[in-house]
Amino acid sequence: IIRLLFSKTYKLQERSDLTLKEKEELIEEWQPEPLVPPVPKDHPALNYNIVSGPPTHIITVNGKECINFASFNFLGLLNNEKVKSAAQASLKKYGVGTCGPRGFYGTFDVHLELEERLAKFMRTEEAIIYSYGFATIASAIPAYSKRGDIVFVDEAACFAIQKGLQASRSNIKLFKHNDMADLERLLKEQETEDQKNPRKARVTRRFIVVEGLYMNTGDICPLPELIKLKYKYKVRIFLEESLSFGVLGEHGRGITEHFGINIDDIDLISANMENSLASIGGFCCGRSFIIDHQRLSGQGYCFSASLPPLLAAAAIEALNIMEDNPDIFQTLRAKCERIHKALQGISGLKVVGESFSPALHLQLEESCGSRENDVKLLKRVVDYCMNSGIALTQARYLEKEEKSLPPPSIRVVITVEQTEQELDKAASLLKEAAQSVLN
Amino acid sequence: MLVAVLTYVGYGVLTLFGYLRDFMRQWKIEKCQNATEREEQKDFVPLYQDFENFYNRNLYMRIRDSWNRPICSVPGAKVDMMERVSHDYNWTFTYTGRVIKDIINMGSYNYLGFAQKTGACQEAAAKVLSQYGAGVCSTRQEMGNLDKHEELEKLVARFLGVESAMAYGMGFATNSMNIPALVGKGCLILSDELNHASLVLGARLSGATIRIFKHNNMQSLEKLLKDAIVHGQPRTRRPWKKILILVEGIYSMEGSIVRLPEVIALKKKYKSYLYLDEAHSIGALGPSGRGVVEYFGLNPEDVDVMMGTFTKSFGAAGGYIGGKKELIDYLRTYSHSAAYATSMSPPVVEQIITSVKCIMGEDGTTVGRARVQQLAENTRYFRRRLKEMGFIIYGNEDSLLLSLLSRIKYGTFYNSSCSCSATTGIIVMISLSLGSAFGREMLKRNIGVVVVGFPATPIIESRARFCLSAAHTKEMLDTALKEINEVGDLLQLKYSRRRLVPLLDRPFDETTYEETED
């Protein structure tokens, strides 16, 4: 026994003893991969469309003038004179950049004003602004959800949410898109797990992350059922309203107004200002208890320069316009329904999305086999339309990085500025294009 | 040594106080002033761990007024600040409505003075704003690629001396979205100890193995490289696919400049790739403002990925990556930001185009060149005067970041014999309370400085930082120096007993010296 105690512990030899010469040989022989693999010249995402001039209602793409059905300019505020003059005034007062993060002399009075206005508009206690739309939700999620916490997220969540979840290192459980039964099943499984280990369950936080209007599929989440599940299983809800802010609801307040739900029931609403508000950046709103935490621990907030004041002023003016004209939301919805109806029945293409969603997808009814061929086919449809005066684009994804890759599709965006004739023209043109290319 | 102990004791006292107050709050003896959970959700799992919020509630709240100071004018050399007071010890602030005018701004990253509300840049940006609008509403790969973006990218590539470049809307996002596109599982990332949060986040999101080498320490880096190549991946022993070294041009919290020639020599010897983040050094180092590569006189093609931001020296917002054409083509196709994030706003792009042209001298004037030189002179002057006054400065001779040491036993200095530089000054204090006292005193004397505390720096070192700018005139610097002198005497911050002797024969030496206490 004493011998065992005193003998050296048996350790697996981690390091082989290589001589200096052998080491140098290894260093000589090692060949790394090239930093980036070469990209084939005809990769669909390599050649961008060059837009000369402002991306407004009439857009000049690659030299051709077209009607814009591809920019997310839902309320037509991109070219609005009042918005532009507000931004000009702010440019004259503050210059362009803010030269610092929010903590170090980068907080301007326009930022504070915008935060107050957004909180008042959305009827919450507080709002916080980020300078980049993608970074908003990608910084908000890791601020609350850490390693060991559990997040239930929809399969069709957008890429920014996926990156936020990856940065948070929590356990992620995907449930089928808009399938409340599947979510309930997962929640029940989690509950039985919790009962086995109540001490751990008392400290693991649980979140559901959903989008108001999904970018990848164009439909909305069933929020009333989610609220019921929230109180039943004690999970918190984070709602991402990038597409539904300024679109759904009587006054444009998003999906909570659409369903008539008390906004305090949702723990955090995050949206980006790049769609309806025609500015740059994003915001999160909710109760002070929740939002204040992000001021110290939101990575995209603390470690990054603040939003340029001219963009904040543009957003404030856009909010003013939204508050003063609540009937544009009705008009937008009517146009969406019109084109949704008009696009039904195109041979070869099916419409994916709710009838009141301003961002639809047109997918191939039957795929031709490989994704590459589908993409090429859709490109021919898009080119046909562009040559005849309607600017469309394919929905772009990073194929290798997405968790659940949606099928290739054409993105159709409806804005308030498009007239009825233009909508009809677009529908008939798409019918023609589908006929000629797909048959 | 004594001071470090005192600081820890101080923190201990504050912690005890914190527990006491929490106790009182729980028993409702003291009113609880921070926001609380909803009534209906009281039996949910608590959102914040008690201990996490401890620092926030008890320590941070006391000195919260040193941060997030709102300003209401252009962030130039002098700035107007909105006055705010707190009647309940910083739990809430109310704005009195008055504006404190003409505070000398030593806190904004306005290195070349492009944050102005008049001038060629601003006029060009105004024209583009009226023509293009403020937003873009689409991603780069879809319909958001304007001709302005193409122009900007060609210009940036020419400025840096690389084959091509690509611009993104946010500097933080540039790092966190492109490092995952370049490396993945099976690759190795060697990153410096003091890298910025965006580099750390990008490295984590990529899924590669991360190893950290000591700050600016070439022996540590070489050892890691050797071990990595010889032993391969940790358990399977397969060779690594790629090795990427992440360094920054100037480190914002230390003020040190990376030892680029040595890093490049190592990189070539061990066949790895170099990612250089020039957030603070672009536009500010080098005789014509082209960054740390020009400062050392090296070839920009040696650096595989040159990244930088437009926020600091160009007075706009956004980031860029420059490099060989294959790299940029790959990023155009596979970068997360190109596929999912909105492109840059047109007036911001125009501001960058005008300011880059100004620095390069292509707009016909010598204003750009003059600014770069003014910045270098300001730096040297400021540093020299601070040293004469007896403060200890942390960081490179030429570096933009001036760091003042208050009571540290050992200090490391990196000497350089080259001439231009940008700067920020950093004063290092031991305890955060000293730092915040410094900040408040300076504000009373109408000078705005930046105080950085625990999360960004080690707990016994908090710093006050001065960011110099080409827009600061000599009078402004003199006023600032006078006030710093006064406050330094008041708070006993001067601890330089021995003058630093620069070693001129070996430019990149690590000199350690010992400081005696007061």
mmCIF file of all heavy atoms in Angstrom, chain A residues 14 28 30 33 48 51 72 84 99 105 107 167 205 236 264 274 289 402, chain B residues 37-38 45 47-48 71 109 130 137 147 204 237 271 273 332 340 342 449:
data_model
loop_
_atom_site.group_PDB
_atom_site.id
_atom_site.type_symbol
_atom_site.label_atom_id
_atom_site.label_comp_id
_atom_site.label_asym_id
_atom_site.label_seq_id
_atom_site.Cartn_x
_atom_site.Cartn_y
_atom_site.Cartn_z
ATOM 1 N N GLU A 14 0.711 12.954 -22.392
ATOM 2 C CA GLU A 14 0.081 13.931 -23.273
ATOM 3 C C GLU A 14 1.042 14.396 -24.350
ATOM 4 O O GLU A 14 0.716 14.556 -25.486
ATOM 5 C CB GLU A 14 -0.383 15.139 -22.463
ATOM 6 C CG GLU A 14 -1.777 14.977 -21.905
ATOM 7 C CD GLU A 14 -2.827 15.082 -23.009
ATOM 8 O OE1 GLU A 14 -2.492 15.303 -24.176
ATOM 9 O OE2 GLU A 14 -4.007 14.914 -22.660
ATOM 10 N N GLU A 28 8.015 22.802 -40.837
ATOM 11 C CA GLU A 28 8.251 22.995 -42.259
ATOM 12 C C GLU A 28 7.168 22.360 -43.095
ATOM 13 O O GLU A 28 6.728 22.894 -44.102
ATOM 14 C CB GLU A 28 9.590 22.337 -42.641
ATOM 15 C CG GLU A 28 10.806 23.111 -42.220
ATOM 16 C CD GLU A 28 11.011 24.347 -43.065
ATOM 17 O OE1 GLU A 28 10.730 24.283 -44.270
ATOM 18 O OE2 GLU A 28 11.431 25.355 -42.500
ATOM 19 N N TRP A 30 4.048 21.577 -42.414
ATOM 20 C CA TRP A 30 2.640 21.929 -42.249
ATOM 21 C C TRP A 30 2.191 22.911 -43.308
ATOM 22 O O TRP A 30 2.801 23.947 -43.506
ATOM 23 C CB TRP A 30 2.446 22.544 -40.862
ATOM 24 C CG TRP A 30 1.044 22.949 -40.594
ATOM 25 C CD1 TRP A 30 -0.021 22.129 -40.465
ATOM 26 C CD2 TRP A 30 0.562 24.263 -40.422
ATOM 27 N NE1 TRP A 30 -1.149 22.844 -40.202
ATOM 28 C CE2 TRP A 30 -0.816 24.164 -40.168
ATOM 29 C CE3 TRP A 30 1.154 25.531 -40.439
ATOM 30 C CZ2 TRP A 30 -1.604 25.280 -39.951
ATOM 31 C CZ3 TRP A 30 0.371 26.634 -40.219
ATOM 32 C CH2 TRP A 30 -1.008 26.507 -39.983
ATOM 33 N N GLU A 33 -4.580 25.610 -44.967
ATOM 34 C CA GLU A 33 -5.500 25.847 -46.079
ATOM 35 C C GLU A 33 -5.369 27.295 -46.494
ATOM 36 O O GLU A 33 -5.005 28.126 -45.689
ATOM 37 C CB GLU A 33 -6.935 25.657 -45.576
ATOM 38 C CG GLU A 33 -7.382 24.240 -45.530
ATOM 39 C CD GLU A 33 -8.829 24.188 -45.053
ATOM 40 O OE1 GLU A 33 -9.446 25.245 -44.886
ATOM 41 O OE2 GLU A 33 -9.300 23.069 -44.847
ATOM 42 N N TYR A 48 -23.450 41.971 -57.220
ATOM 43 C CA TYR A 48 -24.560 42.700 -56.651
ATOM 44 C C TYR A 48 -25.250 43.526 -57.717
ATOM 45 O O TYR A 48 -24.638 43.968 -58.672
ATOM 46 C CB TYR A 48 -24.060 43.680 -55.583
ATOM 47 C CG TYR A 48 -23.485 43.049 -54.357
ATOM 48 C CD1 TYR A 48 -22.737 43.819 -53.485
ATOM 49 C CD2 TYR A 48 -23.665 41.721 -54.032
ATOM 50 C CE1 TYR A 48 -22.213 43.289 -52.337
ATOM 51 C CE2 TYR A 48 -23.134 41.182 -52.895
ATOM 52 C CZ TYR A 48 -22.414 41.973 -52.048
ATOM 53 O OH TYR A 48 -21.884 41.452 -50.908
ATOM 54 N N VAL A 51 -27.423 49.924 -57.582
ATOM 55 C CA VAL A 51 -28.532 50.859 -57.639
ATOM 56 C C VAL A 51 -27.939 52.254 -57.719
ATOM 57 O O VAL A 51 -27.180 52.656 -56.851
ATOM 58 C CB VAL A 51 -29.375 50.748 -56.351
ATOM 59 C CG1 VAL A 51 -30.438 51.792 -56.306
ATOM 60 C CG2 VAL A 51 -29.947 49.367 -56.240
ATOM 61 N N PHE A 72 -37.513 47.295 -48.320
ATOM 62 C CA PHE A 72 -38.497 47.213 -47.239
ATOM 63 C C PHE A 72 -38.961 48.587 -46.811
ATOM 64 O O PHE A 72 -38.934 48.919 -45.630
ATOM 65 C CB PHE A 72 -37.877 46.543 -46.016
ATOM 66 C CG PHE A 72 -37.618 45.098 -46.192
ATOM 67 C CD1 PHE A 72 -36.323 44.620 -46.211
ATOM 68 C CD2 PHE A 72 -38.648 44.212 -46.320
ATOM 69 C CE1 PHE A 72 -36.079 43.287 -46.359
ATOM 70 C CE2 PHE A 72 -38.405 42.865 -46.472
ATOM 71 C CZ PHE A 72 -37.124 42.406 -46.492
ATOM 72 N N LYS A 84 -36.435 64.086 -44.509
ATOM 73 C CA LYS A 84 -35.130 64.530 -44.996
ATOM 74 C C LYS A 84 -34.772 65.877 -44.397
ATOM 75 O O LYS A 84 -33.613 66.123 -44.051
ATOM 76 C CB LYS A 84 -35.159 64.653 -46.517
ATOM 77 C CG LYS A 84 -35.001 63.344 -47.232
ATOM 78 C CD LYS A 84 -34.666 63.608 -48.680
ATOM 79 C CE LYS A 84 -35.097 62.452 -49.523
ATOM 80 N NZ LYS A 84 -34.962 62.723 -50.937
ATOM 81 N N CYS A 99 -18.649 59.857 -32.755
ATOM 82 C CA CYS A 99 -17.304 59.739 -32.210
ATOM 83 C C CYS A 99 -17.253 59.176 -30.801
ATOM 84 O O CYS A 99 -16.506 59.663 -29.969
ATOM 85 C CB CYS A 99 -16.610 61.101 -32.183
ATOM 86 S SG CYS A 99 -16.508 61.846 -33.774
ATOM 87 N N TYR A 105 -19.497 60.218 -23.740
ATOM 88 C CA TYR A 105 -19.841 61.393 -24.545
ATOM 89 C C TYR A 105 -20.398 61.035 -25.909
ATOM 90 O O TYR A 105 -20.187 61.729 -26.874
ATOM 91 C CB TYR A 105 -18.614 62.312 -24.732
ATOM 92 C CG TYR A 105 -18.047 62.750 -23.424
ATOM 93 C CD1 TYR A 105 -16.934 62.125 -22.906
ATOM 94 C CD2 TYR A 105 -18.640 63.770 -22.703
ATOM 95 C CE1 TYR A 105 -16.437 62.501 -21.678
ATOM 96 C CE2 TYR A 105 -18.139 64.150 -21.488
ATOM 97 C CZ TYR A 105 -17.034 63.509 -20.974
ATOM 98 O OH TYR A 105 -16.535 63.875 -19.774
ATOM 99 N N THR A 107 -23.724 60.102 -26.004
ATOM 100 C CA THR A 107 -25.172 60.213 -25.840
ATOM 101 C C THR A 107 -25.590 61.617 -26.184
ATOM 102 O O THR A 107 -25.143 62.559 -25.559
ATOM 103 C CB THR A 107 -25.538 59.936 -24.373
ATOM 104 O OG1 THR A 107 -24.952 58.711 -23.994
ATOM 105 C CG2 THR A 107 -27.019 59.861 -24.211
ATOM 106 N N ALA A 167 -24.428 33.317 -29.434
ATOM 107 C CA ALA A 167 -23.552 34.081 -28.546
ATOM 108 C C ALA A 167 -23.917 33.880 -27.088
ATOM 109 O O ALA A 167 -23.082 34.091 -26.213
ATOM 110 C CB ALA A 167 -23.639 35.562 -28.898
ATOM 111 N N ARG A 205 -33.318 30.096 -16.154
ATOM 112 C CA ARG A 205 -34.346 30.950 -16.709
ATOM 113 C C ARG A 205 -34.840 30.350 -18.014
ATOM 114 O O ARG A 205 -34.100 29.644 -18.704
ATOM 115 C CB ARG A 205 -33.757 32.336 -16.977
ATOM 116 C CG ARG A 205 -33.315 32.984 -15.690
ATOM 117 C CD ARG A 205 -32.495 34.181 -16.004
ATOM 118 N NE ARG A 205 -31.134 33.771 -16.242
ATOM 119 C CZ ARG A 205 -30.090 34.326 -15.660
ATOM 120 N NH1 ARG A 205 -30.266 35.278 -14.795
ATOM 121 N NH2 ARG A 205 -28.884 33.926 -15.957
ATOM 122 N N ARG A 236 -40.562 33.418 -20.087
ATOM 123 C CA ARG A 236 -40.642 34.815 -20.520
ATOM 124 C C ARG A 236 -40.622 34.871 -22.045
ATOM 125 O O ARG A 236 -40.005 34.045 -22.691
ATOM 126 C CB ARG A 236 -39.449 35.581 -19.967
ATOM 127 C CG ARG A 236 -39.488 35.659 -18.479
ATOM 128 C CD ARG A 236 -38.262 36.329 -17.944
ATOM 129 N NE ARG A 236 -38.112 36.029 -16.547
ATOM 130 C CZ ARG A 236 -38.501 36.827 -15.569
ATOM 131 N NH1 ARG A 236 -39.057 37.970 -15.837
ATOM 132 N NH2 ARG A 236 -38.330 36.470 -14.320
ATOM 133 N N ASP A 264 -47.606 44.859 -21.463
ATOM 134 C CA ASP A 264 -46.748 44.453 -20.355
ATOM 135 C C ASP A 264 -46.615 42.950 -20.252
ATOM 136 O O ASP A 264 -45.759 42.454 -19.538
ATOM 137 C CB ASP A 264 -47.314 44.978 -19.028
ATOM 138 C CG ASP A 264 -46.965 46.422 -18.833
ATOM 139 O OD1 ASP A 264 -45.991 46.879 -19.451
ATOM 140 O OD2 ASP A 264 -47.656 47.103 -18.075
ATOM 141 N N GLU A 274 -35.148 49.809 -39.602
ATOM 142 C CA GLU A 274 -34.714 49.908 -40.983
ATOM 143 C C GLU A 274 -35.818 49.572 -41.954
ATOM 144 O O GLU A 274 -35.644 49.690 -43.158
ATOM 145 C CB GLU A 274 -33.519 48.980 -41.201
ATOM 146 C CG GLU A 274 -32.324 49.490 -40.414
ATOM 147 C CD GLU A 274 -31.290 48.427 -40.148
ATOM 148 O OE1 GLU A 274 -31.506 47.276 -40.542
ATOM 149 O OE2 GLU A 274 -30.278 48.761 -39.524
ATOM 150 N N PHE A 289 -37.410 47.587 -15.688
ATOM 151 C CA PHE A 289 -36.725 46.500 -14.987
ATOM 152 C C PHE A 289 -35.879 45.680 -15.948
ATOM 153 O O PHE A 289 -34.807 45.207 -15.615
ATOM 154 C CB PHE A 289 -37.796 45.621 -14.336
ATOM 155 C CG PHE A 289 -37.284 44.393 -13.683
ATOM 156 C CD1 PHE A 289 -36.479 44.479 -12.570
ATOM 157 C CD2 PHE A 289 -37.610 43.141 -14.168
ATOM 158 C CE1 PHE A 289 -36.010 43.342 -11.955
ATOM 159 C CE2 PHE A 289 -37.148 42.001 -13.558
ATOM 160 C CZ PHE A 289 -36.343 42.098 -12.452
ATOM 161 N N GLU A 402 -27.397 28.691 -41.911
ATOM 162 C CA GLU A 402 -28.738 28.735 -41.358
ATOM 163 C C GLU A 402 -29.088 27.409 -40.737
ATOM 164 O O GLU A 402 -28.731 26.361 -41.248
ATOM 165 C CB GLU A 402 -29.741 29.009 -42.481
ATOM 166 C CG GLU A 402 -29.766 30.417 -42.945
ATOM 167 C CD GLU A 402 -30.927 31.189 -42.382
ATOM 168 O OE1 GLU A 402 -31.620 30.643 -41.513
ATOM 169 O OE2 GLU A 402 -31.130 32.324 -42.795
ATOM 170 N N GLU B 37 -39.724 43.510 -10.542
ATOM 171 C CA GLU B 37 -40.486 42.610 -11.392
ATOM 172 C C GLU B 37 -41.977 42.901 -11.259
ATOM 173 O O GLU B 37 -42.445 43.441 -10.281
ATOM 174 C CB GLU B 37 -40.144 41.189 -10.916
ATOM 175 C CG GLU B 37 -40.793 40.084 -11.674
ATOM 176 C CD GLU B 37 -40.266 39.978 -13.083
ATOM 177 O OE1 GLU B 37 -40.802 40.668 -13.972
ATOM 178 O OE2 GLU B 37 -39.325 39.197 -13.279
ATOM 179 N N ARG B 38 -42.724 42.480 -12.263
ATOM 180 C CA ARG B 38 -44.169 42.669 -12.218
ATOM 181 C C ARG B 38 -44.808 41.799 -11.160
ATOM 182 O O ARG B 38 -44.332 40.706 -10.896
ATOM 183 C CB ARG B 38 -44.739 42.214 -13.550
ATOM 184 C CG ARG B 38 -44.709 43.241 -14.623
ATOM 185 C CD ARG B 38 -45.189 42.613 -15.886
ATOM 186 N NE ARG B 38 -46.624 42.686 -15.980
ATOM 187 C CZ ARG B 38 -47.330 41.902 -16.756
ATOM 188 N NH1 ARG B 38 -46.746 40.972 -17.453
ATOM 189 N NH2 ARG B 38 -48.620 42.031 -16.834
ATOM 190 N N VAL B 45 -38.941 32.383 -12.527
ATOM 191 C CA VAL B 45 -37.531 32.316 -12.137
ATOM 192 C C VAL B 45 -36.954 33.728 -12.241
ATOM 193 O O VAL B 45 -37.182 34.395 -13.236
ATOM 194 C CB VAL B 45 -36.765 31.380 -13.084
ATOM 195 C CG1 VAL B 45 -35.301 31.358 -12.739
ATOM 196 C CG2 VAL B 45 -37.349 29.988 -13.018
ATOM 197 N N LEU B 47 -35.031 36.978 -13.110
ATOM 198 C CA LEU B 47 -34.329 37.264 -14.350
ATOM 199 C C LEU B 47 -32.860 37.519 -14.101
ATOM 200 O O LEU B 47 -31.999 37.171 -14.909
ATOM 201 C CB LEU B 47 -34.967 38.488 -15.007
ATOM 202 C CG LEU B 47 -34.560 38.786 -16.438
ATOM 203 C CD1 LEU B 47 -34.784 37.615 -17.319
ATOM 204 C CD2 LEU B 47 -35.337 39.966 -16.939
ATOM 205 N N TYR B 48 -32.539 38.154 -13.015
ATOM 206 C CA TYR B 48 -31.144 38.461 -12.735
ATOM 207 C C TYR B 48 -30.738 37.743 -11.474
ATOM 208 O O TYR B 48 -31.441 37.775 -10.477
ATOM 209 C CB TYR B 48 -30.950 39.960 -12.515
ATOM 210 C CG TYR B 48 -31.564 40.806 -13.577
ATOM 211 C CD1 TYR B 48 -32.533 41.726 -13.273
ATOM 212 C CD2 TYR B 48 -31.172 40.681 -14.900
ATOM 213 C CE1 TYR B 48 -33.090 42.502 -14.238
ATOM 214 C CE2 TYR B 48 -31.737 41.454 -15.872
ATOM 215 C CZ TYR B 48 -32.695 42.368 -15.532
ATOM 216 O OH TYR B 48 -33.243 43.140 -16.503
ATOM 217 N N ILE B 71 -24.688 65.051 -24.390
ATOM 218 C CA ILE B 71 -24.197 66.295 -24.958
ATOM 219 C C ILE B 71 -25.185 66.786 -25.994
ATOM 220 O O ILE B 71 -25.994 66.033 -26.510
ATOM 221 C CB ILE B 71 -22.796 66.139 -25.566
ATOM 222 C CG1 ILE B 71 -22.817 65.179 -26.732
ATOM 223 C CG2 ILE B 71 -21.831 65.648 -24.535
ATOM 224 C CD1 ILE B 71 -21.456 65.024 -27.329
ATOM 225 N N TYR B 109 -13.772 60.306 -29.514
ATOM 226 C CA TYR B 109 -12.729 59.818 -30.411
ATOM 227 C C TYR B 109 -12.730 60.639 -31.694
ATOM 228 O O TYR B 109 -13.076 60.132 -32.757
ATOM 229 C CB TYR B 109 -13.022 58.393 -30.819
ATOM 230 C CG TYR B 109 -13.078 57.396 -29.699
ATOM 231 C CD1 TYR B 109 -14.128 56.515 -29.603
ATOM 232 C CD2 TYR B 109 -12.063 57.308 -28.765
ATOM 233 C CE1 TYR B 109 -14.178 55.564 -28.620
ATOM 234 C CE2 TYR B 109 -12.109 56.373 -27.772
ATOM 235 C CZ TYR B 109 -13.163 55.508 -27.695
ATOM 236 O OH TYR B 109 -13.213 54.563 -26.723
ATOM 237 N N SER B 130 -30.114 64.901 -49.242
ATOM 238 C CA SER B 130 -31.327 65.360 -49.928
ATOM 239 C C SER B 130 -31.581 64.550 -51.192
ATOM 240 O O SER B 130 -32.709 64.405 -51.635
ATOM 241 C CB SER B 130 -31.232 66.839 -50.262
ATOM 242 O OG SER B 130 -30.109 67.070 -51.053
ATOM 243 N N CYS B 137 -33.004 50.467 -46.362
ATOM 244 C CA CYS B 137 -34.108 49.506 -46.333
ATOM 245 C C CYS B 137 -33.858 48.219 -47.095
ATOM 246 O O CYS B 137 -34.782 47.588 -47.545
ATOM 247 C CB CYS B 137 -35.401 50.108 -46.897
ATOM 248 S SG CYS B 137 -35.932 51.559 -46.039
ATOM 249 N N ASP B 147 -24.570 52.854 -55.714
ATOM 250 C CA ASP B 147 -23.311 53.186 -56.389
ATOM 251 C C ASP B 147 -22.352 53.878 -55.433
ATOM 252 O O ASP B 147 -21.134 53.800 -55.562
ATOM 253 C CB ASP B 147 -23.594 54.048 -57.620
ATOM 254 C CG ASP B 147 -24.553 55.172 -57.305
ATOM 255 O OD1 ASP B 147 -25.029 55.270 -56.147
ATOM 256 O OD2 ASP B 147 -24.865 55.954 -58.215
ATOM 257 N N ARG B 204 -15.494 33.849 -30.607
ATOM 258 C CA ARG B 204 -16.352 32.839 -29.976
ATOM 259 C C ARG B 204 -17.407 32.330 -30.920
ATOM 260 O O ARG B 204 -17.699 31.141 -30.962
ATOM 261 C CB ARG B 204 -17.046 33.448 -28.769
ATOM 262 C CG ARG B 204 -16.288 33.260 -27.501
ATOM 263 C CD ARG B 204 -17.002 33.875 -26.361
ATOM 264 N NE ARG B 204 -18.428 33.613 -26.376
ATOM 265 C CZ ARG B 204 -19.323 34.376 -25.767
ATOM 266 N NH1 ARG B 204 -18.937 35.418 -25.096
ATOM 267 N NH2 ARG B 204 -20.592 34.078 -25.827
ATOM 268 N N ARG B 237 -5.121 15.297 -32.553
ATOM 269 C CA ARG B 237 -3.801 15.471 -33.147
ATOM 270 C C ARG B 237 -3.830 15.749 -34.638
ATOM 271 O O ARG B 237 -2.816 15.658 -35.298
ATOM 272 C CB ARG B 237 -2.894 14.267 -32.914
ATOM 273 C CG ARG B 237 -2.609 13.993 -31.492
ATOM 274 C CD ARG B 237 -1.876 15.145 -30.880
ATOM 275 N NE ARG B 237 -1.668 14.953 -29.491
ATOM 276 C CZ ARG B 237 -0.483 14.745 -28.948
ATOM 277 N NH1 ARG B 237 0.585 14.742 -29.699
ATOM 278 N NH2 ARG B 237 -0.381 14.521 -27.674
ATOM 279 N N LYS B 271 3.617 30.393 -41.229
ATOM 280 C CA LYS B 271 2.570 30.269 -42.257
ATOM 281 C C LYS B 271 1.176 30.472 -41.686
ATOM 282 O O LYS B 271 0.247 29.723 -41.986
ATOM 283 C CB LYS B 271 2.619 28.890 -42.940
ATOM 284 C CG LYS B 271 3.861 28.702 -43.788
ATOM 285 C CD LYS B 271 3.854 27.363 -44.436
ATOM 286 C CE LYS B 271 4.829 26.513 -43.692
ATOM 287 N NZ LYS B 271 5.145 25.237 -44.095
ATOM 288 N N TYR B 273 -2.077 33.406 -40.584
ATOM 289 C CA TYR B 273 -2.693 34.582 -41.183
ATOM 290 C C TYR B 273 -2.877 35.643 -40.125
ATOM 291 O O TYR B 273 -3.095 35.349 -38.963
ATOM 292 C CB TYR B 273 -4.061 34.222 -41.787
ATOM 293 C CG TYR B 273 -3.964 33.155 -42.839
ATOM 294 C CD1 TYR B 273 -4.462 31.894 -42.615
ATOM 295 C CD2 TYR B 273 -3.343 33.414 -44.057
ATOM 296 C CE1 TYR B 273 -4.361 30.903 -43.568
ATOM 297 C CE2 TYR B 273 -3.240 32.433 -45.009
ATOM 298 C CZ TYR B 273 -3.745 31.181 -44.756
ATOM 299 O OH TYR B 273 -3.635 30.204 -45.690
ATOM 300 N N ARG B 332 -17.928 39.034 -49.755
ATOM 301 C CA ARG B 332 -19.158 39.538 -50.366
ATOM 302 C C ARG B 332 -20.216 38.448 -50.449
ATOM 303 O O ARG B 332 -21.407 38.701 -50.384
ATOM 304 C CB ARG B 332 -18.890 40.047 -51.785
ATOM 305 C CG ARG B 332 -18.333 41.427 -51.824
ATOM 306 C CD ARG B 332 -18.352 41.936 -53.253
ATOM 307 N NE ARG B 332 -17.220 42.792 -53.476
ATOM 308 C CZ ARG B 332 -17.184 44.071 -53.134
ATOM 309 N NH1 ARG B 332 -18.213 44.631 -52.592
ATOM 310 N NH2 ARG B 332 -16.099 44.776 -53.368
ATOM 311 N N TYR B 340 -27.604 39.660 -44.450
ATOM 312 C CA TYR B 340 -28.722 39.872 -43.547
ATOM 313 C C TYR B 340 -28.821 41.258 -42.971
ATOM 314 O O TYR B 340 -29.806 41.587 -42.349
ATOM 315 C CB TYR B 340 -28.654 38.899 -42.370
ATOM 316 C CG TYR B 340 -28.829 37.483 -42.773
ATOM 317 C CD1 TYR B 340 -27.739 36.642 -42.821
ATOM 318 C CD2 TYR B 340 -30.065 36.991 -43.126
ATOM 319 C CE1 TYR B 340 -27.894 35.333 -43.215
ATOM 320 C CE2 TYR B 340 -30.223 35.687 -43.514
ATOM 321 C CZ TYR B 340 -29.141 34.861 -43.555
ATOM 322 O OH TYR B 340 -29.286 33.577 -43.935
ATOM 323 N N THR B 342 -28.620 45.508 -43.071
ATOM 324 C CA THR B 342 -28.808 46.656 -43.971
ATOM 325 C C THR B 342 -27.487 47.312 -44.279
ATOM 326 O O THR B 342 -26.586 47.330 -43.460
ATOM 327 C CB THR B 342 -29.701 47.677 -43.267
ATOM 328 O OG1 THR B 342 -30.664 46.988 -42.516
ATOM 329 C CG2 THR B 342 -30.389 48.558 -44.259
ATOM 330 N N VAL B 449 -13.444 64.381 -19.303
ATOM 331 C CA VAL B 449 -12.558 63.239 -19.528
ATOM 332 C C VAL B 449 -13.363 61.967 -19.376
ATOM 333 O O VAL B 449 -14.505 61.985 -18.945
ATOM 334 C CB VAL B 449 -11.391 63.198 -18.522
ATOM 335 C CG1 VAL B 449 -10.510 64.380 -18.701
ATOM 336 C CG2 VAL B 449 -11.914 63.135 -17.122
#
